[in-house]
Amino acid sequence: MSSTIAFIGLGHMGSPMAHNLLKAGHTLKVFDLVPAAVQGLKQAGASAAESAAQAVSGVDAVITMLPASQHVEGLYLGEQGLLSAIAKGTLVMECSTIAPESARKVSRAAAERGIRMIDAPVSGGTGGAQAGTLTFIVGGAEADLQAARPLLEAMGKNIFHAGEAGAGQVAKICNNMLLGILMAGTAEALALGVANGLDPKTLSNIIAKSSGRNWATELYNPWPGVMEHAPASHEYAGGFGVDLMLKDLGLAAEASMHARATTPLGELARNLYALHSTQGHGKLDFSSILKLYHQKG
Ligand code: NAD
């Protein structure tokens, strides 16, 4: 069944996700604070709204894909917040990676207005967003997830229900803490091999079929030229920004303090990405962490 959807936040992830909804036959009203971000979608048949409030009028569902907690709270909450413009019964899918407490706060405010909301952060990177193979990690009521499923399936391949509101964000933060650690570890191992005379491609091929293999060695190698499609081979442009990874490692640190958990490797990774960001690399893809280990990286 075709739906009318408001899609807000058309950056590296939101834009390809919205394209896949159009391809699946849905009607889209799109909005981004940066007008240039909507051009490609307009050409593909979406209608461009002049504001977020205009985008959500008369739709069946709302999807947001924004950078961080402050953007999500800033958009939805407050007197002029978007929740006051969304009709009762509308299904809202909040796909950004944000603090679990922010997700719960917005979800509670939505429920008070009779709006159904799930947190549905994603995994799979820009490649997964383009291919429509994302993993959605959902927090919220089972019935709302079932209602969202046909739309999520147009953008992704795996859909998990992590628990109540905010649980999707907790699972996503755990995943990304591990990803940050794995990428730094992969960069460190490749730099060690190269410093000892190995060819980075040969070493990568060996690790990819040995016990050190991981998502970075299989799909997202940090060494330039090893994988043609990876951001490392394109000056680390596009992909998942260092500052977004730093935000997620910060969320992991907060969650760790909140629960009195122990996350020494997560903290070390957070410090490495923070150092890398302060060296002027915040907008590069996070695999550029290799530059900390290898100057030509
Ligand atoms: P991005 O910075 O490329 O895009 C965010 C977009 O939101 C921008 O176009 C910005 O203009 C827009 N925006 C911000 N505030 C807005 C508002 N109030 N109204 C309308 N538009 C607004 O970020 P991204 O890489 O697309 O990531 C989005 C989210 O997805 C982040 O939470 C990130 O952590 C998460 N994520 C990213 C990746 C990745 O590989 N890039 C992978 C998984 C999850």
Side-chain angles (χ1 to χ4, degrees):
M1 205 182 77
S2 145
S3 303
T4 302
I5 306 160
F7 203 118
I8 299 168
L10 303 157
H12 290 113
M13 296 296 285
S15 176
M17 289 164 71
H19 273 286
N20 282 329
L21 288 167
L22 278 178
K23 275 188 222 150
H26 299 292
T27 303
L28 251 63
K29 293 174 76 181
V30 297
F31 177 71
D32 193 289
L33 287 180
V34 178
V38 306
Q39 288 313 318
L41 281 151
K42 243 170 102 177
Q43 280 161 11
S47 71
E50 287 186 1
S51 64
Q54 197 191 76
V56 301
S57 87
V59 300
D60 307 306
V62 176
I63 301 177
T64 46
M65 194 51 164
L66 308 177
S69 303
Q70 65 269 29
H71 306 92
V72 174
E73 290 195 29
L75 178 72
Y76 282 107
L77 303 178
E79 293 248 318
Q80 304 293 319
L82 198 61
L83 287 179
S84 59
I86 297 176
K88 265 192 180 162
T90 307
L91 182 63
V92 177
M93 286 151 268
E94 211 302 293
C95 296
S96 331
T97 304
I98 61 172
E101 197 36 56
S102 285
R104 289 185 201 112
K105 196 165 150 187
V106 180
S107 164
R108 273 195 302 271
E112 279 164 17
R113 292 172 180 272
I115 296 166
R116 298 177 294 160
M117 183 161 206
I118 57 172
D119 43 298
V122 305
S123 180
T126 46
Q130 278 153 16
T133 56
L134 290 171
T135 294
F136 284 92
I137 309 165
V138 176
E142 176 68 34
D144 295 341
L145 166 56
Q146 291 314 333
R149 202 171 266 279
L151 300 183
L152 301 182
E153 281 170 352
M155 301 180 282
K157 206 166 67 173
N158 298 302
I159 300 168
F160 291 101
H161 192 197
E164 290 306 308
Q169 298 295 351
V170 175
K172 169 68 184 168
I173 288 167
C174 295
N175 177 77
N176 274 29
M177 183 184 82
L178 182 57
L179 175 64
I181 295 167
L182 285 174
M183 186 57 84
T186 301
E188 188 168 308
L190 293 179
L192 174 65
V194 170
N196 281 277
L198 290 191
D199 172 63
K201 210 170 202 162
T202 305
L203 178 56
S204 295
N205 288 340
I206 292 167
I207 293 176
K209 296 286 177 214
S210 303
S211 46
R213 71 178 182 271
N214 62 72
W215 188 77
T217 57
E218 284 171 8
L219 292 168
Y220 213 94
N221 197 293
W223 204 281
V226 170
M227 280 178 186
E228 181 43 40
H229 66 269
S233 298
H234 305 276
E235 312 278 334
Y236 300 103
F240 180 45
V242 168
D243 285 343
L244 287 178
M245 173 51 88
L246 187 52
K247 169 203 62 153
D248 291 356
L249 290 166
L251 293 174
E254 277 170 31
S256 177
M257 282 188 280
H258 180 74
R260 293 182 164 222
T262 310
T263 50
L265 292 178
E267 268 302 304
L268 180 54
R270 190 180 68 78
N271 276 292
L272 291 176
Y273 287 96
L275 177 64
H276 186 46
S277 178
T278 57
Q279 291 176 350
H281 301 123
K283 300 289 172 240
L284 296 183
D285 178 74
F286 80 116
S287 62
S288 64
I289 193 74
L290 178 75
K291 288 177 184 285
L292 275 187
Y293 299 95
H294 181 80
Q295 291 200 335
K296 288 187 198 133

